[in-house]
Amino acid sequence: MGRIKKMSTVTTSGSRLEQLKNLSKVLAKQIDDCNNDMIIGPKYLPQLSKQYRETIKEIEEIEGVDREDDEIGEILSARKADGKPDAVR
């Protein structure tokens, strides 16, 4: 996974993708720390988890995700191609 760099360093010298990948590492570390802190951890874990999921999604959108084995991705792509909303009710 590589080492975590300071966000200020990555922000000034890295691409958007590098920034997001570093952010995902920072968030993963904070999530791990929340799991170790039973007093403060439960308060911040939902927020960090949501941000982590959004960051990973954005990384996948930039890199392009292999949709061959992603059934949900195939369904959403088909709906989008048909002009339907991404949300399924």
Side-chain angles (χ1 to χ4, degrees):
M1 187 173 188
R3 70 179 183 89
I4 299 173
K5 299 177 183 176
K6 288 185 175 183
M7 286 304 298
S8 59
T9 301
V10 179
T11 299
T12 58
S13 65
S15 67
R16 181 172 181 221
L17 182 58
E18 291 169 331
Q19 293 169 10
L20 287 167
K21 285 184 175 184
N22 195 68
L23 177 60
S24 73
K25 293 174 192 173
V26 170
L27 291 168
K29 171 85 171 84
Q30 290 179 344
I31 288 169
D32 289 345
D33 290 346
C34 279
N35 287 329
N36 295 330
D37 185 341
M38 292 302 175
I39 296 172
I40 298 175
K43 179 179 178 182
Y44 295 107
L45 187 59
Q47 298 160 347
L48 290 169
S49 297
K50 181 179 180 189
Q51 184 61 52
Y52 181 77
R53 287 190 307 272
E54 291 173 1
T55 302
I56 295 302
K57 181 180 176 186
E58 195 168 342
I59 290 169
E60 289 175 345
E61 288 172 356
I62 291 171
E63 289 183 331
V65 178
D66 182 11
R67 299 277 184 195
E68 291 177 14
D69 61 344
D70 183 7
E71 293 177 25
I72 294 172
E74 289 176 14
I75 293 168
L76 292 176
S77 293
R79 289 182 62 79
K80 196 172 215 174
D82 291 340
K84 297 177 182 174
D86 290 343
V88 178
R89 297 174 201 249

Coordinates of all heavy atoms in Angstrom, one line a residue:
M1 N 0.8 -1.2 0.0 CA 0.0 0.0 0.0 C 0.9 1.3 0.0 O 0.4 2.3 -0.4 CB -0.9 0.0 1.2 CG -2.0 1.1 1.2 SD -3.1 0.8 2.6 CE -4.3 2.1 2.2
G2 N 2.1 1.2 0.4 CA 3.0 2.3 0.4 C 2.8 3.1 1.7 O 1.9 2.9 2.5
R3 N 3.8 4.0 1.9 CA 3.8 4.8 3.1 C 2.9 6.0 3.0 O 2.7 6.5 1.9 CB 5.2 5.2 3.6 CG 5.9 6.2 2.7 CD 7.3 6.5 3.2 NE 7.9 7.5 2.4 CZ 7.8 8.8 2.6 NH1 7.1 9.3 3.6 NH2 8.4 9.7 1.9
I4 N 2.4 6.5 4.1 CA 1.6 7.7 4.1 C 2.5 8.9 4.1 O 3.4 9.0 4.9 CB 0.7 7.7 5.4 CG1 -0.2 6.5 5.4 CG2 -0.1 9.0 5.4 CD1 -1.0 6.4 6.7
K5 N 2.1 9.8 3.2 CA 2.9 11.1 3.1 C 2.0 12.2 3.7 O 0.8 12.0 3.9 CB 3.1 11.5 1.6 CG 4.0 10.4 0.9 CD 4.1 10.8 -0.6 CE 4.9 9.8 -1.3 NZ 4.9 10.1 -2.8
K6 N 2.6 13.3 4.1 CA 1.9 14.4 4.6 C 1.0 14.9 3.5 O 1.4 15.0 2.3 CB 2.8 15.6 5.0 CG 3.6 15.3 6.3 CD 4.4 16.5 6.7 CE 5.1 16.3 8.0 NZ 5.8 17.5 8.4
M7 N -0.3 15.2 3.8 CA -1.2 15.7 2.8 C -0.8 17.0 2.2 O -1.0 17.2 1.0 CB -2.6 15.9 3.4 CG -3.4 14.5 3.7 SD -3.6 13.4 2.3 CE -4.6 14.5 1.2
S8 N -0.1 17.8 2.9 CA 0.4 19.1 2.4 C 1.4 18.9 1.3 O 1.5 19.6 0.3 CB 0.9 20.0 3.5 OG 2.0 19.4 4.2
T9 N 2.2 17.8 1.5 CA 3.3 17.5 0.5 C 2.6 17.0 -0.8 O 3.0 17.4 -1.9 CB 4.2 16.4 1.0 OG1 4.9 17.0 2.2 CG2 5.3 16.1 0.0
V10 N 1.7 16.1 -0.6 CA 1.0 15.5 -1.8 C 0.2 16.5 -2.5 O 0.1 16.5 -3.7 CB 0.1 14.3 -1.4 CG1 -0.6 13.7 -2.5 CG2 1.0 13.2 -0.7
T11 N -0.4 17.4 -1.8 CA -1.2 18.5 -2.4 C -0.4 19.4 -3.3 O -0.9 19.8 -4.3 CB -2.0 19.3 -1.3 OG1 -2.8 18.4 -0.6 CG2 -2.8 20.4 -1.9
T12 N 0.8 19.7 -2.9 CA 1.6 20.6 -3.7 C 2.3 20.0 -4.8 O 2.6 20.6 -5.8 CB 2.6 21.4 -2.8 OG1 3.5 20.4 -2.1 CG2 2.0 22.2 -1.8
S13 N 2.6 18.6 -4.7 CA 3.4 18.0 -5.7 C 2.7 16.8 -6.4 O 3.3 16.3 -7.4 CB 4.7 17.5 -5.1 OG 4.5 16.5 -4.2
G14 N 1.6 16.4 -6.0 CA 1.0 15.2 -6.5 C -0.2 15.5 -7.4 O -0.8 16.6 -7.4
S15 N -0.6 14.5 -8.2 CA -1.8 14.6 -9.1 C -3.0 14.4 -8.2 O -2.9 14.0 -7.0 CB -1.7 13.6 -10.2 OG -1.8 12.3 -9.6
R16 N -4.2 14.6 -8.8 CA -5.4 14.4 -8.0 C -5.5 12.9 -7.6 O -5.9 12.6 -6.4 CB -6.6 14.8 -8.9 CG -7.9 14.6 -8.2 CD -9.0 15.1 -9.1 NE -10.3 15.0 -8.4 CZ -11.4 14.6 -9.0 NH1 -11.4 14.4 -10.3 NH2 -12.5 14.5 -8.3
L17 N -5.1 12.0 -8.4 CA -5.2 10.6 -8.1 C -4.2 10.3 -7.0 O -4.6 9.6 -6.0 CB -4.8 9.7 -9.3 CG -4.9 8.2 -9.2 CD1 -6.3 7.8 -8.7 CD2 -4.5 7.5 -10.4
E18 N -3.0 10.8 -7.0 CA -2.0 10.6 -5.9 C -2.6 11.2 -4.6 O -2.4 10.6 -3.5 CB -0.7 11.3 -6.2 CG 0.0 10.5 -7.4 CD 1.2 11.3 -7.9 OE1 1.2 12.6 -7.8 OE2 2.2 10.7 -8.4
Q19 N -3.2 12.3 -4.7 CA -3.8 12.9 -3.5 C -4.9 12.1 -2.9 O -4.9 11.8 -1.7 CB -4.4 14.3 -3.8 CG -3.3 15.3 -4.2 CD -3.9 16.6 -4.8 OE1 -5.1 16.8 -4.8 NE2 -3.1 17.5 -5.3
L20 N -5.8 11.5 -3.7 CA -6.8 10.7 -3.3 C -6.3 9.4 -2.7 O -6.8 8.9 -1.7 CB -7.8 10.4 -4.4 CG -8.7 11.5 -4.8 CD1 -9.4 11.2 -6.2 CD2 -9.7 11.8 -3.8
K21 N -5.3 8.8 -3.3 CA -4.7 7.5 -2.8 C -4.1 7.8 -1.5 O -4.2 6.9 -0.6 CB -3.7 7.0 -3.8 CG -4.4 6.3 -5.0 CD -3.3 5.7 -5.9 CE -4.0 5.0 -7.1 NZ -3.0 4.3 -7.9
N22 N -3.4 8.9 -1.3 CA -2.8 9.2 0.0 C -3.9 9.4 1.0 O -3.8 9.0 2.2 CB -1.9 10.4 -0.1 CG -1.0 10.5 1.1 OD1 -0.1 9.7 1.3 ND2 -1.2 11.5 1.9
L23 N -4.9 10.1 0.6 CA -6.1 10.4 1.6 C -6.7 9.1 2.0 O -7.0 8.9 3.2 CB -7.1 11.3 0.9 CG -8.4 11.6 1.7 CD1 -8.0 12.3 3.0 CD2 -9.4 12.4 0.9
S24 N -6.8 8.1 1.1 CA -7.4 6.8 1.5 C -6.5 6.1 2.5 O -7.0 5.5 3.4 CB -7.5 5.9 0.3 OG -6.3 5.4 -0.2
K25 N -5.2 6.3 2.4 CA -4.2 5.7 3.4 C -4.4 6.4 4.8 O -4.4 5.7 5.8 CB -2.8 5.9 2.9 CG -2.5 5.0 1.7 CD -1.1 5.3 1.2 CE -0.8 4.7 -0.1 NZ 0.5 5.2 -0.7
V26 N -4.5 7.7 4.7 CA -4.7 8.5 6.0 C -6.0 8.1 6.6 O -6.1 7.8 7.9 CB -4.7 10.0 5.7 CG1 -5.2 10.8 6.9 CG2 -3.4 10.5 5.2
L27 N -7.1 8.0 5.9 CA -8.4 7.6 6.4 C -8.4 6.1 6.9 O -8.9 5.9 8.0 CB -9.5 7.7 5.3 CG -9.8 9.1 4.9 CD1 -10.7 9.2 3.7 CD2 -10.5 9.9 6.1
A28 N -7.7 5.2 6.2 CA -7.6 3.8 6.7 C -6.9 3.8 8.0 O -7.3 3.0 8.9 CB -6.9 3.0 5.6
K29 N -5.8 4.6 8.2 CA -5.1 4.6 9.4 C -6.0 5.1 10.6 O -6.0 4.6 11.7 CB -3.8 5.5 9.3 CG -3.1 5.8 10.6 CD -2.1 4.7 10.9 CE -1.2 5.0 12.0 NZ -1.8 4.8 13.3
Q30 N -6.7 6.2 10.3 CA -7.6 6.8 11.3 C -8.7 5.8 11.7 O -9.1 5.7 12.8 CB -8.2 8.1 10.8 CG -7.2 9.2 10.7 CD -7.7 10.5 10.2 OE1 -8.8 10.5 9.6 NE2 -7.0 11.6 10.4
I31 N -9.2 5.0 10.7 CA -10.3 4.0 11.0 C -9.7 2.9 11.9 O -10.3 2.5 12.8 CB -10.8 3.4 9.6 CG1 -11.7 4.5 8.9 CG2 -11.6 2.2 9.9 CD1 -12.1 4.1 7.5
D32 N -8.5 2.5 11.6 CA -7.8 1.5 12.4 C -7.6 2.0 13.8 O -7.9 1.3 14.8 CB -6.4 1.1 11.8 CG -6.6 0.3 10.6 OD1 -7.7 -0.2 10.3 OD2 -5.6 0.1 9.8
D33 N -7.3 3.3 13.9 CA -7.1 3.9 15.3 C -8.4 4.0 16.0 O -8.5 3.8 17.2 CB -6.5 5.3 15.1 CG -5.0 5.3 14.7 OD1 -4.4 4.2 14.7 OD2 -4.5 6.3 14.3
C34 N -9.5 4.2 15.3 CA -10.8 4.3 15.9 C -11.2 2.9 16.5 O -11.8 2.8 17.6 CB -11.9 4.7 14.9 SG -12.0 6.4 14.6
N35 N -10.8 1.9 15.8 CA -11.1 0.5 16.2 C -10.4 0.2 17.5 O -10.8 -0.7 18.3 CB -10.8 -0.5 15.2 CG -11.9 -0.5 14.1 OD1 -13.0 -0.2 14.3 ND2 -11.4 -0.8 12.8
N36 N -9.2 0.8 17.7 CA -8.4 0.6 18.9 C -8.8 1.5 20.1 O -8.5 1.2 21.2 CB -6.9 0.8 18.6 CG -6.4 -0.2 17.6 OD1 -6.9 -1.3 17.5 ND2 -5.4 0.2 16.8
D37 N -9.6 2.5 19.8 CA -10.0 3.5 20.9 C -11.5 3.3 21.1 O -12.3 3.8 20.4 CB -9.7 4.9 20.5 CG -10.0 5.9 21.6 OD1 -10.7 5.6 22.5 OD2 -9.4 7.0 21.5
M38 N -11.9 2.6 22.1 CA -13.3 2.2 22.4 C -14.1 3.4 23.0 O -15.3 3.3 23.1 CB -13.4 1.0 23.3 CG -12.9 -0.2 22.6 SD -13.9 -0.4 21.1 CE -13.2 -1.8 20.3
I39 N -13.4 4.5 23.3 CA -14.1 5.6 23.9 C -14.5 6.6 22.8 O -15.6 7.0 22.7 CB -13.3 6.2 25.0 CG1 -13.1 5.2 26.2 CG2 -14.0 7.5 25.5 CD1 -12.1 5.7 27.2
I40 N -13.5 7.1 22.1 CA -13.7 8.1 21.1 C -14.0 7.5 19.7 O -14.8 8.0 18.9 CB -12.5 9.0 20.9 CG1 -12.2 9.7 22.3 CG2 -12.6 10.0 19.8 CD1 -11.0 10.6 22.3
G41 N -13.5 6.3 19.5 CA -13.6 5.6 18.2 C -15.0 5.5 17.6 O -15.3 5.9 16.5
P42 N -16.0 5.0 18.4 CA -17.4 4.9 17.8 C -18.0 6.2 17.4 O -18.8 6.2 16.5 CB -18.2 4.3 19.0 CG -17.1 3.6 19.8 CD -15.9 4.4 19.7
K43 N -17.5 7.3 17.9 CA -18.1 8.6 17.5 C -17.6 9.0 16.1 O -18.4 9.6 15.4 CB -17.6 9.7 18.6 CG -18.1 11.1 18.2 CD -17.6 12.1 19.3 CE -18.0 13.5 19.0 NZ -17.5 14.5 20.0
Y44 N -16.4 8.7 15.8 CA -15.8 9.2 14.5 C -15.8 8.1 13.4 O -15.7 8.4 12.2 CB -14.4 9.7 14.7 CG -14.3 10.9 15.6 CD1 -13.8 10.8 16.9 CD2 -14.7 12.1 15.1 CE1 -13.8 12.0 17.7 CE2 -14.7 13.3 15.9 CZ -14.2 13.2 17.2 OH -14.2 14.3 17.9
L45 N -16.0 6.8 13.8 CA -15.9 5.8 12.8 C -16.9 5.9 11.7 O -16.5 5.7 10.5 CB -16.1 4.4 13.5 CG -15.9 3.2 12.6 CD1 -14.5 3.2 12.0 CD2 -16.1 1.9 13.5
P46 N -18.2 6.2 11.9 CA -19.1 6.4 10.8 C -18.7 7.4 9.8 O -18.8 7.2 8.6 CB -20.5 6.7 11.5 CG -20.3 6.2 12.9 CD -18.9 6.4 13.2
Q47 N -18.3 8.6 10.3 CA -17.9 9.7 9.4 C -16.7 9.3 8.6 O -16.6 9.6 7.4 CB -17.6 10.9 10.2 CG -18.8 11.5 11.0 CD -18.3 12.4 12.1 OE1 -17.2 12.5 12.5 NE2 -19.3 13.1 12.7
L48 N -15.7 8.7 9.2 CA -14.5 8.3 8.5 C -14.7 7.2 7.5 O -14.2 7.2 6.4 CB -13.4 7.8 9.5 CG -12.8 8.8 10.4 CD1 -12.0 8.2 11.5 CD2 -11.9 9.8 9.6
S49 N -15.6 6.3 7.9 CA -16.0 5.2 7.0 C -16.7 5.7 5.7 O -16.4 5.3 4.6 CB -16.9 4.2 7.6 OG -16.2 3.6 8.7
K50 N -17.6 6.7 5.9 CA -18.3 7.3 4.8 C -17.3 8.0 3.8 O -17.3 7.8 2.6 CB -19.3 8.2 5.2 CG -20.1 8.9 4.1 CD -21.2 9.8 4.6 CE -21.9 10.4 3.4 NZ -22.8 11.5 3.8
Q51 N -16.4 8.8 4.4 CA -15.4 9.5 3.6 C -14.5 8.5 2.9 O -14.1 8.7 1.8 CB -14.6 10.5 4.5 CG -13.6 11.3 3.7 CD -14.3 12.2 2.7 OE1 -15.3 12.9 3.0 NE2 -13.9 12.1 1.4
Y52 N -14.1 7.4 3.6 CA -13.2 6.4 3.0 C -13.9 5.8 1.7 O -13.3 5.7 0.7 CB -12.9 5.3 4.0 CG -12.0 4.3 3.4 CD1 -10.6 4.5 3.3 CD2 -12.5 3.0 3.1 CE1 -9.8 3.5 2.8 CE2 -11.6 2.1 2.6 CZ -10.3 2.3 2.4 OH -9.5 1.3 1.9
R53 N -15.2 5.4 1.9 CA -15.9 4.9 0.8 C -16.0 5.8 -0.4 O -15.8 5.5 -1.6 CB -17.4 4.5 1.2 CG -17.4 3.2 2.1 CD -18.8 2.7 2.3 NE -19.8 3.7 2.7 CZ -20.0 4.0 4.0 NH1 -19.3 3.4 5.0 NH2 -20.8 5.0 4.4
E54 N -16.3 7.1 -0.1 CA -16.4 8.1 -1.2 C -15.0 8.3 -1.9 O -15.0 8.5 -3.1 CB -16.9 9.4 -0.6 CG -18.4 9.4 -0.2 CD -18.8 10.6 0.5 OE1 -18.0 11.6 0.7 OE2 -20.0 10.6 0.9
T55 N -14.0 8.3 -1.1 CA -12.6 8.4 -1.6 C -12.3 7.3 -2.6 O -11.8 7.4 -3.7 CB -11.6 8.6 -0.5 OG1 -11.9 9.7 0.3 CG2 -10.2 8.8 -1.1
I56 N -12.6 6.0 -2.1 CA -12.3 4.8 -2.9 C -13.1 4.9 -4.2 O -12.6 4.6 -5.3 CB -12.6 3.6 -2.1 CG1 -11.7 3.4 -0.9 CG2 -12.5 2.3 -3.0 CD1 -10.2 3.4 -1.2
K57 N -14.3 5.3 -4.1 CA -15.2 5.4 -5.3 C -14.6 6.4 -6.3 O -14.6 6.1 -7.5 CB -16.6 5.8 -4.9 CG -17.6 5.9 -6.1 CD -18.9 6.4 -5.6 CE -19.8 6.5 -6.8 NZ -21.1 7.1 -6.4
E58 N -14.1 7.5 -5.8 CA -13.6 8.5 -6.7 C -12.3 8.0 -7.3 O -12.0 8.2 -8.5 CB -13.3 9.8 -5.9 CG -13.1 11.0 -6.8 CD -13.1 12.3 -6.1 OE1 -13.6 12.4 -5.0 OE2 -12.6 13.3 -6.7
I59 N -11.5 7.3 -6.6 CA -10.2 6.7 -7.1 C -10.6 5.7 -8.2 O -10.0 5.7 -9.3 CB -9.4 5.9 -6.0 CG1 -8.8 7.0 -5.1 CG2 -8.3 5.1 -6.6 CD1 -8.2 6.4 -3.8
E60 N -11.6 4.8 -8.0 CA -12.0 3.9 -9.0 C -12.6 4.6 -10.3 O -12.3 4.1 -11.4 CB -13.1 2.9 -8.4 CG -12.5 2.0 -7.4 CD -13.5 1.1 -6.7 OE1 -14.8 1.4 -6.8 OE2 -13.2 0.1 -6.1
E61 N -13.3 5.7 -10.1 CA -13.8 6.4 -11.2 C -12.7 7.0 -12.1 O -12.7 7.0 -13.3 CB -14.7 7.5 -10.8 CG -16.0 7.0 -10.3 CD -16.9 8.1 -9.6 OE1 -16.4 9.3 -9.5 OE2 -18.0 7.8 -9.2
I62 N -11.6 7.5 -11.4 CA -10.5 8.0 -12.1 C -9.7 6.9 -12.8 O -9.3 7.0 -14.0 CB -9.6 8.8 -11.2 CG1 -10.3 10.1 -10.7 CG2 -8.2 9.2 -11.9 CD1 -9.6 10.8 -9.6
E63 N -9.4 5.8 -12.1 CA -8.6 4.7 -12.7 C -9.4 3.9 -13.7 O -8.8 3.3 -14.6 CB -8.1 3.8 -11.6 CG -7.0 4.5 -10.7 CD -6.5 3.5 -9.7 OE1 -7.2 2.6 -9.2 OE2 -5.3 3.7 -9.3
G64 N -10.7 3.9 -13.5 CA -11.5 3.0 -14.3 C -11.5 1.6 -13.7 O -10.5 1.1 -13.4
V65 N -12.7 1.1 -13.4 CA -12.9 -0.1 -12.7 C -13.2 -1.2 -13.7 O -13.9 -1.0 -14.6 CB -14.0 0.0 -11.7 CG1 -14.2 -1.4 -10.9 CG2 -13.7 1.1 -10.7
D66 N -12.6 -2.4 -13.5 CA -12.8 -3.5 -14.4 C -14.2 -4.0 -14.1 O -14.5 -4.6 -13.0 CB -11.8 -4.6 -14.1 CG -12.0 -5.8 -14.9 OD1 -12.8 -5.8 -15.9 OD2 -11.4 -6.9 -14.7
R67 N -15.1 -3.8 -15.0 CA -16.6 -4.1 -14.8 C -16.9 -5.5 -15.1 O -18.1 -5.9 -15.0 CB -17.4 -3.2 -15.7 CG -17.2 -1.7 -15.3 CD -18.1 -1.3 -14.2 NE -18.0 0.1 -13.9 CZ -18.4 0.7 -12.8 NH1 -18.9 0.0 -11.9 NH2 -18.3 2.0 -12.7
E68 N -16.0 -6.3 -15.6 CA -16.3 -7.7 -16.0 C -16.8 -8.5 -14.9 O -17.7 -9.3 -15.1 CB -15.1 -8.4 -16.6 CG -14.7 -7.8 -18.0 CD -13.4 -8.5 -18.5 OE1 -13.0 -9.5 -18.0 OE2 -12.9 -7.9 -19.4
D69 N -16.3 -8.4 -13.7 CA -16.7 -9.2 -12.6 C -17.5 -8.4 -11.5 O -17.8 -8.8 -10.5 CB -15.5 -9.9 -11.9 CG -14.6 -8.8 -11.3 OD1 -14.6 -7.7 -11.7 OD2 -13.7 -9.2 -10.5
D70 N -18.0 -7.2 -12.0 CA -18.8 -6.4 -11.1 C -20.2 -6.3 -11.5 O -20.5 -5.5 -12.4 CB -18.1 -5.0 -11.0 CG -18.8 -4.0 -10.1 OD1 -19.7 -4.5 -9.3 OD2 -18.5 -2.8 -10.1
E71 N -21.0 -7.2 -11.0 CA -22.4 -7.3 -11.5 C -23.2 -6.0 -11.2 O -24.0 -5.5 -12.1 CB -23.1 -8.4 -10.8 CG -22.6 -9.8 -11.2 CD -23.2 -10.9 -10.5 OE1 -24.4 -10.8 -10.0 OE2 -22.6 -12.0 -10.3
I72 N -23.0 -5.4 -10.1 CA -23.7 -4.1 -9.7 C -23.2 -3.0 -10.7 O -24.1 -2.3 -11.2 CB -23.4 -3.7 -8.3 CG1 -24.0 -4.8 -7.4 CG2 -24.0 -2.3 -8.0 CD1 -23.7 -4.6 -5.9
G73 N -21.9 -3.0 -11.0 CA -21.4 -2.0 -11.9 C -22.0 -2.2 -13.3 O -22.4 -1.2 -14.0
E74 N -22.2 -3.4 -13.7 CA -22.8 -3.7 -15.0 C -24.3 -3.2 -15.1 O -24.7 -2.6 -16.1 CB -22.8 -5.2 -15.3 CG -21.4 -5.7 -15.6 CD -21.3 -7.2 -15.8 OE1 -22.4 -7.8 -16.0 OE2 -20.2 -7.8 -15.8
I75 N -25.0 -3.5 -14.0 CA -26.4 -3.0 -13.9 C -26.5 -1.5 -14.0 O -27.3 -1.0 -14.7 CB -27.1 -3.6 -12.6 CG1 -27.2 -5.1 -12.7 CG2 -28.4 -2.9 -12.4 CD1 -27.6 -5.8 -11.4
L76 N -25.6 -0.9 -13.2 CA -25.7 0.6 -13.2 C -25.3 1.2 -14.5 O -25.9 2.2 -15.0 CB -24.8 1.1 -12.1 CG -25.3 0.9 -10.6 CD1 -24.2 1.4 -9.6 CD2 -26.6 1.5 -10.4
S77 N -24.3 0.6 -15.2 CA -23.8 1.0 -16.5 C -25.0 0.9 -17.5 O -25.2 1.8 -18.3 CB -22.6 0.3 -17.0 OG -21.5 0.6 -16.1
A78 N -25.7 -0.3 -17.4 CA -26.8 -0.5 -18.4 C -27.9 0.5 -18.1 O -28.5 1.0 -19.1 CB -27.3 -1.9 -18.2
R79 N -28.2 0.8 -16.9 CA -29.3 1.8 -16.5 C -28.9 3.2 -17.0 O -29.7 3.9 -17.6 CB -29.5 1.8 -15.0 CG -30.2 0.6 -14.5 CD -30.5 0.7 -13.0 NE -31.4 1.8 -12.7 CZ -32.7 1.7 -12.8 NH1 -33.3 0.7 -13.3 NH2 -33.4 2.8 -12.5
K80 N -27.6 3.5 -16.9 CA -27.1 4.8 -17.3 C -27.2 4.9 -18.8 O -27.6 5.9 -19.4 CB -25.7 5.0 -16.9 CG -25.2 6.4 -16.9 CD -23.9 6.6 -16.3 CE -23.8 7.9 -15.6 NZ -22.5 8.0 -14.8
A81 N -26.9 3.8 -19.5 CA -26.9 3.8 -21.0 C -28.4 3.9 -21.5 O -28.6 4.5 -22.6 CB -26.3 2.5 -21.5
D82 N -29.3 3.4 -20.7 CA -30.7 3.5 -21.1 C -31.4 4.9 -20.6 O -32.5 5.1 -20.8 CB -31.5 2.4 -20.4 CG -31.2 1.0 -21.0 OD1 -30.7 1.0 -22.1 OD2 -31.5 0.0 -20.3
G83 N -30.6 5.7 -20.0 CA -31.1 7.0 -19.6 C -31.8 7.0 -18.3 O -32.5 7.9 -17.9
K84 N -31.6 5.9 -17.5 CA -32.3 5.7 -16.2 C -31.4 6.2 -15.1 O -30.2 6.2 -15.3 CB -32.7 4.3 -16.0 CG -33.7 3.7 -17.0 CD -34.0 2.3 -16.8 CE -34.9 1.7 -17.9 NZ -35.1 0.3 -17.7
P85 N -32.0 6.6 -14.0 CA -31.1 7.1 -12.9 C -30.3 5.9 -12.3 O -30.7 4.7 -12.5 CB -32.1 7.6 -11.9 CG -33.4 6.9 -12.2 CD -33.4 6.7 -13.7
D86 N -29.2 6.2 -11.6 CA -28.4 5.2 -11.0 C -29.0 4.5 -9.9 O -28.8 3.4 -9.6 CB -27.1 5.9 -10.5 CG -26.1 6.3 -11.7 OD1 -26.4 5.8 -12.8 OD2 -25.2 7.1 -11.4
A87 N -29.9 5.2 -9.2 CA -30.6 4.6 -8.0 C -31.6 3.6 -8.5 O -32.4 3.8 -9.4 CB -31.2 5.7 -7.2
V88 N -31.6 2.5 -7.8 CA -32.6 1.4 -8.1 C -33.6 1.4 -6.9 O -33.3 1.4 -5.8 CB -32.0 0.1 -8.2 CG1 -33.0 -1.0 -8.5 CG2 -30.9 0.1 -9.3
R89 N -34.9 1.5 -7.3 CA -35.9 1.5 -6.2 C -36.6 0.2 -6.1 O -36.9 -0.5 -6.9 CB -36.9 2.6 -6.5 CG -36.3 4.0 -6.5 CD -37.3 5.0 -6.9 NE -36.6 6.2 -7.3 CZ -36.6 7.3 -6.7 NH1 -37.2 7.5 -5.6 NH2 -35.9 8.4 -7.2

